[in-house]
């Protein structure tokens, strides 16, 4: 399975998919890595793809 992290910045209108330094969406194959990334966000949510 794959996972993405979405950061809402306080409300759903401002939701973005977390990206790398090149602007590409970060996709995680291991949930624990996605959880670590979400923990670095202000309001990060993990979604399974």
């Amino acid at each position: 399975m794959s996972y993405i992290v979405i950061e809402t910045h306080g409300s759903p209108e401002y939701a973005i998919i977390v990206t790398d330094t090149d602007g590409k969406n970060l996709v995680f194959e291991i949930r624990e890595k996605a959880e670590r990334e979400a923990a670095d966000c202000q309001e990060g949510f993990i979604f399974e793809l």
Side-chain angles (χ1 to χ4, degrees), residues 27-42:
V27 179
F28 301 92
E29 298 299 321
I30 300 170
R31 184 173 177 92
E32 289 78 19
K33 289 185 178 183
E35 289 171 354
R36 285 194 296 266
E37 185 66 35
D40 288 338
C41 297
Q42 289 178 350

Side-chain angles (χ1 to χ4, degrees), residues 1-17:
M1 298 203 191
S2 298
Y3 304 92
I4 59 170
V5 176
I6 295 182
E7 185 167 9
T8 60
H9 293 288
S11 67
E13 298 91 49
Y14 304 108
I16 60 165
I17 297 173

